[in-house]
Amino acid sequence: MDHHMSNVSTVDALRGEIMALRSAGKSVAFVPTMGALHEGHLSLIRLGREVADVVVCSIFVNPTQFGEGEDLDAYPRTLAADLAALEGAQCDLVFTPTVEEMYPANFSTRVVVSGVSEGLCGAERPGHFEGMATVVAKLLMMVQPDKAIFGEKDFQQLMVVRRMVNDLNMPIEIIGAPTQRAADGLALSSRNEYLSTERRAIAPKLYEVLSDLAGELSNGGEAACLIAKAAGRLVDYGFEVEYIELRSAETLAPVERAGVEGSSRLIAAARLGATRLIDNVAV
Ligand code: AMP
């Protein structure tokens, strides 16, 4: 059967399409993105096809989750290629709103998720999770999906979204999807496009060092000391380390030793030149 993908840019048109899908009895999976799509995003679309009848994707570079001096203007925008990739992955509906459509004059509401938004990227990027949670809340209200899929690549983001959906009683199942990587281990990211050839060759060391460290931590060693050594290795490779932390995979609370209380996650952010890379691994 021929596959047809619709593309709408207004909330009214989106609601019309969703209403038609609902009338036809379809369950809906939703994948929000900022575009510049890669295999990581497409893996979420494919997972959506497995868990629901139709998949809705949004492409919106959300200005309110970028801080002063961050890469909002430089962020890659590749709409034509994105639409072709989504069509290829059999996405059913794409929502591509303008900034004015999402934030009309007098827009005043902010969604603040305390606790899990603090520390890690929340400390390095003030206001980021507030902007993200606000736009995700809006998108979830617009699409009203049965399920929404987020990548584990942005582990703290996944935790913030889970907390928000729980706290606000949104009747939506949040699904976390595994991080897709290049053959050399680098987590796929739209921001990898910023890397020079030289730095692209160094970038996989972040995952390598994290994976080694996770192995050491799983033997029950004290986190602080092992983390400091790993950070030193990254600095030697040319990274500027923002943080490496061992956290509870359920609550994101700091963990001093792996294996003592439930499962933990090793979460890191580091810069190579101006490019900020994040990654995380299970311990
Ligand atoms: P972004 O467009 O970067 O905002 O990401 C949109 C969604 O794709 C988020 O849920 C991300 O966690 C997810 N994502 C980004 N990179 C990857 C990856 N390498 N593997 C799996 N999911 C990813």
Side-chain angles (χ1 to χ4, degrees), residues 100-178:
E100 294 70 33
E101 183 73 5
M102 293 296 281
Y103 300 109
N106 300 323
F107 183 87
S108 313
T109 302
R110 292 277 179 279
V111 178
V112 178
V113 183
S114 59
V116 288
S117 290
E118 293 155 21
L120 307 172
C121 285
E124 300 291 338
R125 305 183 66 190
H128 168 69
F129 285 119
E130 194 175 311
M132 183 281 293
T134 303
V135 82
V136 169
K138 283 171 65 67
L139 290 166
L140 292 177
M141 299 312 290
M142 292 170 186
V143 177
Q144 297 187 250
D146 300 280
K147 304 174 183 191
I149 305 173
F150 293 82
E152 289 179 345
K153 152 91 177 9
D154 301 273
F155 197 80
Q156 189 176 14
Q157 167 173 283
L158 172 61
M159 303 294 277
V160 171
V161 170
R162 283 194 194 285
R163 185 77 261 148
M164 173 185 77
V165 164
N166 254 282
D167 289 354
L168 298 182
N169 306 94
M170 295 181 179
I172 300 166
E173 182 191 342
I174 301 301
I175 300 175

Side-chain angles (χ1 to χ4, degrees), residues 32-34 38 40-41 44 150-151 153-154 157 178-180 188:
T33 80
M34 299 205 299
H38 50 64
H41 298 113
L44 307 189
F150 293 82
K153 152 91 177 9
D154 301 273
Q157 167 173 283
T179 302
Q180 303 298 306
L188 298 179

Side-chain angles (χ1 to χ4, degrees), residues 67-87:
E68 205 69 47
E70 287 188 358
D71 57 343
L72 174 61
D73 294 334
Y75 199 84
R77 288 157 170 92
T78 59
L79 185 61
D82 290 352
L83 294 176
L86 289 172
E87 183 102 57

